[in-house]
Amino acid sequence: MTDEIADERADQLISACRTAVGDQLRSLTYFTRDEFDQLYLRSDLERDADLAGFVDYESIGFDAHTAYRGSELGDYQFTIRVFDEGFLLRVTTETEGVFATTDGVTIQDFREAATALATILEGI
């Protein structure tokens, strides 16, 4: 874990995600290539997830920006993963990212959350 992300920025990421998906937000984790910090965990969940494993896998998203560049699909924006018990939304820049886990939400909720999170990560 890291204290790399400033409290104010962490609060902005949490607020943006909670605004978009509300009480459906399960967790929010900030990560870089080397470190991570779980910013939010809903109170009814236990801290037993293998976050390091998730971060190792989700850091693949750093390369997505260049891997898909120039494709007919357009620029890479975000990734949604579907699981039996929920969803994972990953948003990255080339150097940092966040992933949020949620209960059932709409694709529009994911798009709003991804847009808000990307805006904060990119410092726009």
Side-chain angles (χ1 to χ4, degrees), residues 64-121:
H65 294 277
T66 55
Y68 297 108
R69 189 168 286 144
S71 79
E72 292 177 359
L73 296 172
D75 292 335
Y76 168 80
Q77 295 180 17
F78 58 92
T79 297
I80 300 170
R81 299 190 191 286
V82 180
F83 298 89
D84 289 338
E85 303 296 327
F87 302 88
L88 182 142
L89 168 68
R90 177 189 71 211
V91 179
T92 59
T93 66
E94 292 182 11
T95 59
E96 62 183 347
V98 293
F99 62 83
T101 60
T102 71
D103 293 326
V105 296
T106 68
I107 192 71
Q108 184 59 33
D109 293 334
F110 282 125
R111 183 172 300 284
E112 288 176 20
T115 300
L117 293 169
T119 298
I120 294 166
L121 289 176

Side-chain angles (χ1 to χ4, degrees), residues 17-96:
C17 205
R18 294 260 311 147
T19 297
V21 300
D23 292 338
Q24 301 301 322
L25 181 64
R26 297 169 64 99
S27 68
L28 182 65
T29 301
Y30 169 86
F31 62 97
T32 65
R33 291 186 188 273
D34 301 317
E35 301 178 300
F36 67 91
D37 191 8
Q38 187 169 56
L39 305 178
Y40 174 84
L41 181 67
R42 199 170 63 199
S43 63
D44 63 321
L45 300 174
E46 295 186 27
R47 293 189 175 272
D48 61 352
D50 175 17
L51 288 180
F54 274 71
V55 170
D56 283 345
Y57 193 76
E58 295 308 326
S59 63
I60 293 168
F62 293 130
D63 299 326
H65 294 277
T66 55
Y68 297 108
R69 189 168 286 144
S71 79
E72 292 177 359
L73 296 172
D75 292 335
Y76 168 80
Q77 295 180 17
F78 58 92
T79 297
I80 300 170
R81 299 190 191 286
V82 180
F83 298 89
D84 289 338
E85 303 296 327
F87 302 88
L88 182 142
L89 168 68
R90 177 189 71 211
V91 179
T92 59
T93 66
E94 292 182 11
T95 59
E96 62 183 347

